[in-house]
Amino acid sequence: MTTLIEIKKLTKKYKETPVLDQVSLSIVSGEIIALLGENGAGKSTLINLINDLIGATSGEVKVNIAHSKIGVMLQDNITLNRLKVSETLQLARSYYQNPLPYAELLRLSDLTHQENLFLSKLSGGQKRRLTFALALAGDPDLIFLDEPTTGMDAERRAAFWQEITQMSSAGKTFFITSHYLEELENLASRIILLHTHKIAFDGTLADLRAQNAVSEISFNFDGNLTGLSAVVQHMQTGNFHRLTTNNSLQLIQSLVPFFEQGLSNLTVQQNSLDNLFQNLIKTEGTK
C-alpha cells in the first residue's frame, strides 16, 4: 500500500476559534475511510484543507499523489444552471488529458434520459449524482465524497454505494463523510471520528466495537425493569426497550425472570455504527 496523504498536527482556527486542533493522520491506497463527526466537528474543513481549498493555521499536509488524480465531491452541488448536463460533463472532461469517456460519466450520473436538460431542471438527487460524476471526470485514484447521497432516495443511495464498492475493488481510494451511518457500516474499512476539534477514534469497526458496547438487545415489556446487569445504555419508547451491553449473556440471564411477566420479541444483534458513534461521543464528552 502507498501513503497518498500525510497530515501532521493540522490546526485551523477562525478568529481564534478552533475548528481542527493538532490533527494527524495518513490516507493509504485501497482504503474506504468513513469520516464521522457531529455537525460542526470539522469534517468539511478537513477535506478542504487536504485539497488546498482553504489555508491552515498551522501544521502540514503532504500530498504524495498528483492533484489531477484526486477527485472531490463537495457538499454543494454544481450551479451552472445555464448549461445542459451533456455540456457540463464535456466541460469537466476538457480539463484532463485522460478523462473518463463521456458515456461512462453519463452512466455514473444515471442521467442518460436527462442529458439534454439544463441543470436548473434537475432534482436535488439528480444534481448530486451529476456532482459525483464530475468528481470522477479525470479518472482519479483518490476520491473525497462529502455527504454524497444527500437528496437521493433509498434506491439511488443503494446503487451509489454499490458503485463505490466496485470502484474500490478496482483499486480506487475513498474518503467519505455521510450522515447515513448504517450505509457506511458495511462499506468502510476504516473509521475516523472527529470530536471537539480532534480525532477521538481512528481504526476499524471491529476496533470500535471492542472499545464500546458490542451488542444491542431489544424487546417489548410493559412492567418495571429492575436488577439488570451489564447495561451500558437503556432507551425506551412505549413498551419497546433497547439496551446496549458489553456482556450480552450476563444481561440476558438477568432478563430471564421477566419472561414470565410478559417480556417478548427479544432480539440480539451487534451494536450499530450509529449507536457506537453516539456512545463514543458521550464518553468523550465526560472526559
Side-chain angles (χ1 to χ4, degrees):
M1 293 186 295
T2 303
T3 299
L4 304 178
I5 306 287
E6 296 177 90
I7 300 170
K8 297 180 180 178
K9 298 182 179 179
L10 188 62
T11 295
K12 177 64 177 179
K13 296 180 180 179
Y14 290 103
K15 297 182 180 180
E16 301 306 313
T17 301
V19 179
L20 293 173
D21 185 12
Q22 299 283 301
V23 168
S24 297
L25 62 91
S26 61
I27 300 175
V28 178
S29 61
E31 294 185 299
I32 299 180
I33 301 173
L35 179 65
L36 309 181
E38 298 173 298
N39 289 336
K43 302 186 297 296
S44 295
T45 298
L46 179 57
I47 289 177
N48 288 334
L49 285 166
I50 293 173
N51 288 283
D52 202 25
L53 298 175
I54 58 175
T57 302
S58 62
E60 177 185 359
V61 177
K62 185 178 180 181
V63 180
N64 301 318
I65 180 175
H67 282 285
S68 62
K69 301 305 291 182
I70 298 175
V72 184
M73 181 183 181
L74 299 176
Q75 280 193 30
D76 295 329
N77 292 322
I78 192 75
T79 56
L80 302 173
N81 290 329
R82 294 185 179 182
L83 290 183
K84 296 180 179 179
V85 169
S86 58
E87 294 170 335
T88 305
L89 291 174
Q90 294 289 22
L91 177 63
R93 294 183 70 250
S94 71
Y95 296 144
Y96 301 95
Q97 288 187 341
N98 298 296
L100 282 179
Y102 171 76
E104 176 65 4
L105 293 179
L106 196 60
R107 184 192 69 80
L108 288 167
S109 64
D110 194 18
L111 294 174
T112 301
H113 299 297
Q114 293 82 24
E115 65 177 317
N116 292 316
L117 288 182
F118 288 100
L119 270 58
S120 59
K121 300 298 183 181
L122 299 180
S123 68
Q126 289 170 338
K127 289 179 179 178
R128 208 72 194 116
R129 300 200 306 273
L130 175 62
T131 304
F132 172 60
L134 295 176
L136 297 174
D139 194 16
D141 294 320
L142 171 62
I143 301 106
F144 291 85
L145 304 175
D146 195 357
E147 299 296 344
T149 57
T150 301
M152 295 185 195
D153 60 32
E155 182 179 354
R156 296 293 187 184
R157 291 203 308 270
F160 177 87
W161 294 124
Q162 181 61 36
E163 193 70 53
I164 299 303
T165 300
Q166 293 174 357
M167 289 183 178
S168 175
S169 299
K172 295 191 183 296
T173 305
F174 289 91
F175 194 90
I176 307 169
T177 74
S178 176
H179 284 108
Y180 299 105
L181 301 191
E182 73 280 3
E183 296 172 341
L184 295 177
E185 187 167 338
N186 297 316
L187 181 76
S189 59
R190 177 182 171 192
I191 296 168
I192 297 174
L193 172 63
L194 285 176
H195 183 60
T196 60
H197 322 302
K198 300 177 183 289
I199 293 178
F201 176 83
D202 185 354
T204 66
L205 179 58
D207 294 333
L208 186 57
R209 281 183 168 141
Q211 289 183 206
N212 295 270
V214 297
S215 298
E216 180 179 289
I217 295 177
S218 61
F219 52 86
N220 295 97
F221 185 66
D222 289 310
N224 294 321
L225 292 168
T226 59
L228 299 184
S229 301
V231 176
V232 174
Q233 185 179 35
H234 182 180
M235 292 175 285
Q236 181 178 354
T237 304
N239 75 340
F240 178 75
H241 300 260
R242 188 170 64 187
L243 285 65
T244 54
T245 177
N246 281 316
N247 191 326
S248 55
L249 179 60
Q250 185 177 344
L251 176 54
I252 290 172
Q253 288 174 337
S254 69
L255 286 170
V256 169
F258 297 100
F259 282 96
E260 295 182 356
Q261 301 176 37
L263 189 151
S264 61
N265 301 321
L266 180 75
T267 61
V268 181
Q269 63 183 26
Q270 284 189 308
N271 208 352
S272 67
L273 178 56
D274 189 24
N275 279 337
L276 290 168
F277 170 67
Q278 297 299 331
N279 290 341
L280 188 56
I281 289 292
K282 291 178 182 178
T283 300
E284 290 292 322
T286 60
K287 291 182 179 179

